[in-house]
Amino acid sequence: MKKTYRFLGVVAAMMVAVNGHASEQQTLDCNAIHQETKIEEISTRGAGLYLLLQDIIVAQLSVEHEQVVMEAGFKEDLGADSLDMYEICITCEETFGICIDYNYIPFFYTVADLYDYILKRLNI
């Protein structure tokens, strides 16, 4: 329960940042995020989202934060199975207030794939 409140607090702070003003340089499209995987180079809006997504994946898969990078494959690098992916997606839905079409779950090969999907659902 304590983690849920922490997530909600971070999400609320992130929503304030999302609704604020951002320069064009801070707003990166999904293709640029695939090419640049360093957290410092992700947009201000996306950085908070990435950190939340990283926490969700770490908690679900019991892996280290350092393992959860954009190019990490869920199955190959992080050891996720289909049930893990569904649970990650359910937690993302609750955390980010979005609906994930479960038909897309098999196509989330990397962390970047899920990250991009969430960005699109949030219209960032």
Side-chain angles (χ1 to χ4, degrees):
M1 190 66 115
K2 190 174 185 180
K3 273 189 169 181
T4 303
Y5 289 123
R6 183 175 66 91
F7 272 127
L8 292 176
V10 174
V11 169
M14 186 182 79
M15 288 305 181
V16 170
V18 167
N19 292 324
H21 298 287
S23 68
E24 287 183 23
Q25 184 178 1
Q26 290 174 316
T27 308
L28 301 174
D29 65 5
C30 296
N31 292 332
I33 291 169
H34 273 298
Q35 294 169 0
E36 301 293 336
T37 58
K38 294 181 181 176
I39 188 67
E40 297 82 21
E41 296 175 7
I42 297 174
S43 71
T44 301
R45 297 182 210 179
L49 186 141
Y50 173 75
L51 293 174
L52 281 173
L53 180 60
Q54 188 180 39
D55 286 343
I56 291 167
I57 295 168
V58 166
Q60 180 61 42
L61 301 178
S62 300
V63 295
E64 297 295 324
H65 274 86
E66 294 79 27
Q67 292 178 269
V68 183
V69 293
M70 287 291 195
E71 66 272 0
F74 281 109
K75 291 182 183 178
E76 300 83 14
D77 300 322
L78 302 174
D81 59 18
S82 59
L83 181 59
D84 290 328
M85 290 305 299
Y86 278 101
E87 290 178 358
I88 288 170
C89 289
I90 289 168
T91 305
C92 287
E93 286 180 327
E94 294 168 354
T95 302
F96 301 116
I98 60 171
C99 291
I100 296 177
D101 184 348
Y102 293 121
N103 294 322
Y104 286 105
I105 292 176
F107 301 106
F108 296 144
Y109 299 113
T110 65
V111 173
D113 294 333
L114 180 56
Y115 176 81
D116 291 344
Y117 184 87
I118 294 169
L119 284 178
K120 289 176 187 173
R121 298 300 286 176
L122 290 172
N123 295 321
I124 295 178

